[in-house]
């Protein structure tokens, strides 16, 4: 930890915490997309595995891992507790859906949405980090997670039967949403210059990958191309959606998370007043 | 009600870091961990420059961001305003550390010693319960509670007063009950203009910085004295 007055990148959360937001968002998005588009049940399981990997990643970061169950003690105010409470329900719904239980897919989709919402609120509740505490980060993180899930769905479809109209629609809506939601969030972030440089670089990657993916999607849907090319474009869409979102969240946690530093509202008056 | 608070007179602080050393001695914090530290800040451009030494640490906020985010309820706020950490509950997730706008929280993964090998003092004061969990300034809550049990007054009687306040060579730090109009901190706040750090965040810090005298109030008091 630095001892200066100027803001510095927080050192408490590293790639392990970022991994939770990357895997958790993408896994939740995959569950939502797969549940809505009637995709095979194993895709829901894959989404749950991703969510589990994310939680495992953050478990590696906590100082007292064998006390991890204490995380359930504060559902009243802590979004981390709420995230931890949603996770087992989500896993149960996914397992139920894989056994073909009625309504389990809908429950899994809703719980996955709740999970990614909790993750977004975890960041927003951290008042110490100006880039995180801006409320417009919440919809952006949710949209990014869903877009990554939609991308994974397209990647899977590219190597199997091809994407359905519903999957394309889910992809287009979530990608457009993340592209759109970046602007109001970034416009309101007041953070250290070095944090903004890192965030803008990640934002450039996020928005460029989003636009490229949307352009590739439009080409794949509207232009009559050989099946192999269409599938290649489809896979490109999925890869761009995942890579752009993951890089943004990684940067948000590990490079753009400068604290506020210390500041004096007034300077001390010594001797003659200025 | 009692609301313990600290006052730092920025006009008096000379940046000697005696408070920092006293805190480390009283609380046996490991190298790199300073529950009470003093930031050296410079303002302006040559030749019109100013320098300020700013004691910082846990602000024991009215609405502590670290409290609401803590998933384990390890972080608690007492009725007298002191924010505490239960080391046996804390899982060391460091969520409180990123939530704190005052960078007051530390997490030490493993025992470290000032000179490599542990000194006799470090062996005696070693507390493994504080490893891999969040730690921060407690306003020397043990001293306050023990002092109150003996009928002492925190902020007046050194035995019941935080170590940093006792150690301050310039009388820049003061401690006491802001809800008691007769306390030293209440008097200082009345006689001087003051602010709290990052007040716009709405955390309601229990740490006040004095920056200039309050002329109106001083005139009133002189009038009353006459």
């Amino acid at each position: 930890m630095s001892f200066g007055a100027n803001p510095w990148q927080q050192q408490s959360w590293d790639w392990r915490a970022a991994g939770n937001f990357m895997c958790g968002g993408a896994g939740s998005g995959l569950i939502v997309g797969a549940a809505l588009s009637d995709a095979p049940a194993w895709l829901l399981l894959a989404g749950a595995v991703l969510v589990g990997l994310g939680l495992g990643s953050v478990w590696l970061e906590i100082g007292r891992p064998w006390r991890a169950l204490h995380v359930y003690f504060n559902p009243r105010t802590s979004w981390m507790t709420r995230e931890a409470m949603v996770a087992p329900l989500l896993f149960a719904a996914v397992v139920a859906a894989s056994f073909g239980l009625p309504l389990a897919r809908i429950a899994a989709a809703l719980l996955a949405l709740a999970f990614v919402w909790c993750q977004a609120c975890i960041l927003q509740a951290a008042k110490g980090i100006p880039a995180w505490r801006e409320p417009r980060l919440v919809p952006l993180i949710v949209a990014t997670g869903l877009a990554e899930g939609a991308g994974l769905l397209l990647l899977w479809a590219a190597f199997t039967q091809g994407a359905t109209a519903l999957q394309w629609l889910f992809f287009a809506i979530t990608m457009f949403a993340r592209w759109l939601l970046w602007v109001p969030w970034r416009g309101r972030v007041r953070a250290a210059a070095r944090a903004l440089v890192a965030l803008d670089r990640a934002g450039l990657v996020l928005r460029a990958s989003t636009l490229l993916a949307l352009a590739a999607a439009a080409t794949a849907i509207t232009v009559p191309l050989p099946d192999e090319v269409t599938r290649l474009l489809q896979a490109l869409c999925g890869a761009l959606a995942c890579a752009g979102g993951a890089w943004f969240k990684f940067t948000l946690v590990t490079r753009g998370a400068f604290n506020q530093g210390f500041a004096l509202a007034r300077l001390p008056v010594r001797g003659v007043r200025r | 009600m009692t609301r313990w608070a600290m006052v730092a007179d920025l006009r008096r602080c000379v940046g000697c870091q005696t408070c920092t050393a006293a805190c480390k001695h009283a609380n046996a914090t490991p190298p790199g961990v300073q529950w009470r530290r003093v930031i050296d800040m410079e303002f302006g451009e040559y030749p019109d420059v100013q320098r300020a030494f700013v004691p910082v640490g846990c602000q024991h906020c009215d609405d502590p961001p670290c409290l609401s985010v803590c998933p384990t309820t390890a972080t608690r706020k007492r009725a007298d305003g002191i924010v505490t950490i239960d080391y046996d509950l804390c899982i060391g997730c460091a969520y409180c550390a990123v939530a704190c706008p005052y960078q007051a929280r530390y997490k030490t993964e493993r025992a470290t010693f000032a000179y490599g090998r542990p000194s006799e003092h470090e062996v005696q004061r070693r507390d493994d319960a504080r490893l891999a969990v969040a730690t921060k300034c407690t306003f020397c809550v043990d001293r306050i509670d023990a002092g109150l049990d003996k009928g002492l007054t925190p902020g007046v009687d050194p035995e019941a007063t935080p170590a940093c306040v006792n150690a301050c060579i310039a009388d820049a730090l003061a401690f006491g009950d802001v809800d008691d109009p007769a306390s030293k901190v209440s008097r200082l706040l009345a006689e001087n203009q003051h602010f709290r750090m990052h007040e716009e965040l709405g955390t309601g810090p229990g740490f006040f910085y004095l920056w200039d005298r309050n002329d109106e109030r001083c005139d009133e008091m002189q009038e009353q004295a006459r």
Side-chain angles (χ1 to χ4, degrees):
Chain A
M1 181 177 277
S2 161
F3 291 92
N6 295 325
W8 64 91
Q9 165 66 33
Q10 61 82 20
Q11 301 292 316
S12 302
W13 284 1
D14 58 15
W15 63 269
R16 292 167 290 186
N20 185 31
F21 294 105
M22 290 152 70
C23 294
S28 300
L30 180 58
I31 292 169
V32 172
L36 292 181
S37 65
D38 220 17
W42 73 264
L43 276 176
L44 275 83
L45 285 169
V49 167
L50 267 177
V51 169
L53 276 176
L55 292 172
S57 172
V58 80
W59 181 76
L60 292 175
E61 180 147 63
I62 65 174
R64 299 277 186 164
W66 305 117
R67 291 183 194 164
L69 291 181
H70 291 191
V71 78
Y72 288 104
F73 289 175
N74 191 16
R76 205 170 60 80
T77 61
S78 176
W79 284 103
M80 194 177 273
T81 300
R82 292 167 188 168
E83 179 205 36
M85 293 182 112
V86 169
L89 298 175
L90 174 62
F91 295 146
V94 165
V95 171
S98 68
F99 283 107
L101 259 65
L103 296 179
R105 275 181 177 255
I106 301 296
L110 290 174
L111 286 164
L113 266 178
F115 185 83
V116 73
W117 180 267
C118 288
Q119 288 208 323
C121 291
I122 284 175
L123 290 174
Q124 200 271 323
K127 273 197 177 177
I129 311 294
W132 296 358
R133 68 178 179 232
E134 167 49 45
R136 292 176 194 205
L137 182 67
V138 174
L140 176 62
I141 290 291
V142 172
T144 305
L146 293 179
E148 286 165 62
L152 287 174
L153 205 56
L154 280 196
L155 262 177
W156 160 77
F159 295 103
T160 53
Q161 84 276 20
T164 63
L166 201 59
Q167 285 163 353
W168 277 119
L169 184 67
F170 180 60
F171 177 78
I173 290 172
T174 54
M175 290 292 275
F176 188 62
R178 94 173 181 189
W179 181 79
L180 213 60
L181 289 166
W182 160 268
V183 180
W185 168 73
R186 175 61 190 87
R188 292 178 70 95
V189 171
R190 300 282 175 271
R194 284 195 295 152
L196 293 179
V197 168
L199 291 174
D200 283 340
R201 280 190 192 142
L204 192 67
V205 172
L206 183 79
R207 284 180 300 160
S209 64
T210 305
L211 285 180
L212 271 174
L214 284 172
T219 310
I221 293 167
T222 56
V223 180
L225 294 165
D227 189 47
E228 296 77 27
V229 179
T230 305
R231 282 170 185 256
L232 199 65
L233 284 174
Q234 205 171 314
L236 181 70
C237 289
L240 285 169
C242 295
W247 181 247
F248 166 62
K249 283 187 271 192
F250 180 77
T251 304
L252 186 67
V253 174
T254 63
R255 295 178 187 184
F258 278 58
N259 59 38
Q260 198 167 346
F262 297 98
L264 297 186
R266 306 300 295 256
L267 294 180
V269 175
R270 301 188 194 97
V272 179
R273 285 177 175 160
R274 295 182 177 220
Chain B
M1 283 294 286
T2 299
R3 175 40 163 127
W4 300 120
M6 200 166 282
V7 169
D9 191 335
L10 296 176
R11 298 162 301 181
R12 282 178 170 267
C13 182
V14 295
C16 68
Q17 316 262 355
T18 307
C19 54
T20 306
C23 173
K24 288 191 76 69
H25 182 258
N27 295 295
T29 54
V33 174
Q34 295 181 354
W35 289 354
R36 168 72 61 244
R37 54 189 156 124
V38 182
I39 307 291
D40 185 346
M41 297 172 84
E42 291 174 20
F43 302 91
E45 282 184 24
Y46 177 82
D48 185 17
V49 293
Q50 254 189 295
R51 194 173 180 192
F53 301 104
V54 186
V56 295
C58 176
Q59 311 273 309
H60 296 273
C61 303
D62 292 330
D63 184 13
C66 55
L67 176 74
S68 53
V69 301
C70 176
T72 66
T73 67
T75 295
R76 289 180 197 159
K77 186 165 165 275
R78 305 193 335 169
D80 59 10
I82 297 179
V83 178
T84 60
I85 301 172
D86 184 335
Y87 301 132
D88 293 331
L89 276 180
C90 181
I91 58 172
C93 66
Y95 192 10
C96 54
V98 290
C100 174
Y102 306 100
Q103 290 81 56
R105 291 189 168 231
Y106 296 84
K107 190 173 96 173
T108 311
E109 293 293 347
R110 58 192 67 82
T112 53
F113 308 100
Y115 301 103
R117 289 184 176 184
S119 65
E120 195 179 322
H121 170 76
E122 285 169 325
V123 170
Q124 281 174 1
R125 304 289 303 276
R126 182 171 174 159
D127 181 3
D128 284 351
R130 296 199 310 198
L131 288 178
V133 296
T135 69
K136 66 166 190 74
C137 159
T138 64
F139 267 174
C140 288
V141 68
D142 296 342
R143 295 167 70 96
I144 292 172
D145 287 347
L148 287 170
D149 287 345
K150 291 180 187 171
L152 303 175
T153 306
V156 176
D157 298 300
E159 203 183 325
T161 301
C164 56
V165 177
N166 286 337
C168 182
I169 62 162
D171 202 18
L173 290 175
F175 183 79
D177 178 8
V178 280
D179 283 353
D180 173 9
S183 71
K184 183 180 178 184
V185 287
S186 294
R187 190 171 47 76
L188 284 169
L189 292 175
E191 291 170 3
N192 295 281
Q193 298 187 69
H194 53 85
F195 65 87
R196 295 183 288 181
M197 186 93 70
H198 302 328
E199 198 143 25
E200 71 282 4
L201 296 178
T203 53
F207 204 115
F208 297 82
Y209 295 97
L210 308 184
W211 63 279
D212 194 9
R213 65 176 184 269
N214 184 346
D215 283 339
E216 279 180 26
R217 180 69 180 145
C218 286
D219 291 346
E220 264 176 42
M221 292 176 79
Q222 280 174 358
E223 200 68 34
Q224 284 168 2
R226 281 191 214 126

